[in-house]
Amino acid sequence: MVSRRIVAAGKFIGVLAVLGLFLHFGTLFVSTRYGTSGQTGIFSIWGGSLAAGPKHGGGNDSGGGENNSYSPDGVKPVKAALVALVRNDDLYGLRKTIRELEDRWNGKHNYPYILLNDKPFTEKFKRGVRDLTRAKVEFGMLEPGSWGYPEWIDQNKAREERESARYIKGHSESYRFMCRFQSGFIHKHPLLQDLDYYWRIEPDVHYYCDVDYDPFMLMKNNGYKYGWNIAPTEYEPTVRTLWNATETFMLKHPDLIPKDNLLDWVRDDQGHYTRCHFWSNFEIVDLSFYRSKEYQMFFDHLDRAGGFFYERWGDAPIHSLAVAMFLSKKQVHYFDDIGYYHPAMSHCPAGSKESGKCVCDPREGWANGFSCAKRWRKM
């Protein structure tokens, strides 16, 4: 019995010896291969090798590499968010948008989403959005006074305009409420209070390109105040007196208009309104611009004129006129590398059908050929 125990103990000791030799030579092999000290344990080496791998949610200032600030709970390098004004019945369209944004860009950066509505969001809507992203999502309602008619508007006159309108969205009352909100109130909403930048998003849009950098950091590092992607001309019946109202403002406040402005983009050689504007369903903005004294004065002037309701002034031409008056070209960035589709118009970077990080057909993304985009490139 004793001899059997001795033999068993000998075998056990032998196995331990073999394992010891294996670990010793394994450590030497790994330390030679990876340049580590021979005193480093093999498990420490393997653990360090794993720890040195890519971190989930990583990214540097240009959108690549490692940076814990881009984790869902990390403090982002820019106080920024993706912001949309939507309704509960936009859920499917917004889910499509967020799915593409997550796949193309935000899945690496995890910037928060802020979604606003003139009605309470349903739990179904909230769940349907949160299912798609690890980023923080906040839901908010519009504040009183930011949606609807201001007290000075003649609602009978406004109704007559809607009933006689022969242009897109001409009969819509809520569309006019939206344009006024986007022009003068979105940047004042409490959920945006702590933001420095926002990227406006919409339901039912497409993003054609992988974006391997942080557009918010690009804006910040270069001092850009406004970023755009598509620039069409506005439909004249919707802005019949907008340019006149803008000229009146400039005559009253010439001190607010810097010499290095962009007014030649929105007026021709004869001083006529070109109706060029940045399509604001895609815009990335330094919110200090919308919060500035001059922008607020311009909005208040237009709001009092009543054109949101007596015509159908849109937020896109109003934003664009403000950019033209108050900013220089070096403060405005054309995101021509981001392929984008909004129903009726799209932008596709050249060569994207055959190569590059975008998949789209430039012949179908014809916004790059708009006269206003050409006019911009010539300035």
Side-chain angles (χ1 to χ4, degrees):
M1 178 67 68
V2 174
S3 61
R4 288 181 180 178
R5 289 178 178 175
I6 293 174
V7 171
K11 289 181 179 180
F12 179 72
I13 293 171
V15 170
L16 290 177
V18 172
L19 286 173
L21 289 172
F22 171 77
L23 291 173
H24 173 71
F25 286 109
T27 301
L28 290 177
F29 170 76
V30 175
S31 65
T32 301
R33 180 174 178 83
Y34 293 102
T36 60
S37 168
Q39 297 176 349
T40 303
I42 188 168
F43 297 113
S44 298
I45 293 170
W46 287 345
S49 177
L50 289 171
K55 296 178 181 178
H56 196 51
N60 57 24
D61 289 352
S62 62
E66 298 174 12
N67 190 334
N68 281 334
S69 66
Y70 285 121
S71 68
D73 297 323
V75 178
K76 304 297 181 287
V78 182
K79 294 179 181 178
L82 300 117
V83 180
L85 174 63
V86 288
R87 288 178 166 170
N88 287 304
D89 57 8
D90 289 321
L91 176 58
Y92 178 52
L94 188 66
R95 277 174 55 82
K96 290 189 289 183
T97 294
I98 291 176
R99 177 72 276 155
E100 291 196 21
L101 276 168
E102 290 293 304
D103 292 344
R104 295 298 199 180
W105 177 69
N106 202 43
K108 300 188 293 288
H109 293 81
N110 295 293
Y111 276 101
Y113 293 88
I114 296 175
L115 306 178
L116 305 177
N117 193 344
D118 66 317
K119 301 283 194 306
F121 281 107
T122 64
E123 290 304 314
K124 176 183 177 181
F125 188 100
K126 294 177 181 179
R127 183 174 62 253
V129 170
R130 287 181 170 140
D131 283 346
L132 297 172
T133 179
R134 298 178 302 136
K136 182 180 180 181
V137 184
E138 293 187 274
F139 301 90
M141 280 188 63
L142 306 188
E143 294 190 291
S146 66
W147 189 264
Y149 293 104
E151 61 184 8
W152 56 84
I153 293 298
D154 182 339
Q155 294 190 33
N156 289 326
K157 182 178 177 180
R159 184 179 63 254
E160 290 171 2
E161 172 68 17
R162 293 196 308 275
E163 290 174 352
S164 62
R166 296 293 182 268
Y167 46 80
I168 188 170
K169 304 290 186 181
H171 300 299
S172 175
E173 182 179 54
S174 63
Y175 188 82
R176 288 172 168 83
F177 294 161
M178 180 276 293
C179 290
R180 181 173 179 262
F181 173 80
Q182 296 280 17
S183 297
F185 296 96
I186 189 168
H187 51 279
K188 299 176 182 178
H189 193 279
L191 289 180
L192 278 69
Q193 183 177 359
D194 295 330
L195 297 185
D196 293 330
Y197 296 83
Y198 95 144
W199 180 340
R200 178 171 160 182
I201 64 173
E202 297 270 332
D204 295 304
V205 301
H206 296 296
Y207 297 90
Y208 295 136
C209 310
D210 285 341
V211 181
D212 56 4
Y213 63 93
D214 184 340
F216 293 125
M217 285 297 293
L218 178 76
M219 296 283 290
K220 180 179 179 179
N221 290 340
N222 291 280
Y224 297 138
K225 297 292 186 181
Y226 191 87
W228 63 282
N229 182 267
I230 293 176
T233 54
E234 183 59 293
Y235 189 44
E236 193 276 336
T238 68
V239 289
R240 301 186 297 273
T241 64
L242 178 58
W243 180 242
N244 292 339
T246 301
E247 287 186 310
T248 300
F249 176 83
M250 290 191 288
L251 288 172
K252 287 182 178 179
H253 305 285
D255 55 307
L256 297 179
I257 316 300
K259 292 182 179 179
D260 187 17
N261 58 60
L262 291 164
L263 285 168
D264 286 342
W265 188 62
V266 295
R267 66 184 176 194
D268 61 22
D269 295 339
Q270 288 75 45
H272 299 143
Y273 185 28
T274 64
R275 292 180 281 114
C276 286
H277 67 285
F278 307 118
W279 223 23
S280 56
N281 50 70
F282 178 108
E283 63 177 14
I284 303 176
V285 185
D286 178 341
L287 291 172
S288 67
F289 174 54
Y290 288 161
R291 293 167 180 154
S292 67
K293 179 185 79 170
E294 55 268 32
Y295 182 88
Q296 186 61 52
M297 289 176 65
F298 180 51
F299 170 75
D300 289 343
H301 171 79
L302 297 180
D303 200 22
R304 281 284 174 180
F308 291 109
F309 304 103
Y310 303 149
E311 297 175 21
R312 201 223 63 193
W313 294 354
D315 54 282
I318 289 172
H319 287 176
S320 304
L321 287 167
V323 168
M325 281 190 290
F326 305 132
L327 300 182
S328 64
K329 191 171 185 182
K330 66 182 180 182
Q331 294 175 295
V332 182
H333 183 64
Y334 178 16
F335 282 97
D336 59 344
D337 60 324
I338 298 181
Y340 173 72
Y341 166 86
H342 185 283
M345 297 185 200
S346 67
H347 165 67
C348 179
S352 296
K353 191 175 181 180
E354 295 85 16
S355 61
K357 296 184 178 181
C358 307
V359 180
C360 53
D361 187 344
R363 292 174 300 179
E364 297 174 359
W366 32 263
N368 201 33
F370 283 166
S371 61
C372 294
K374 292 178 180 179
R375 188 179 186 87
W376 175 266
R377 290 193 291 270
K378 290 179 180 178
M379 291 187 65

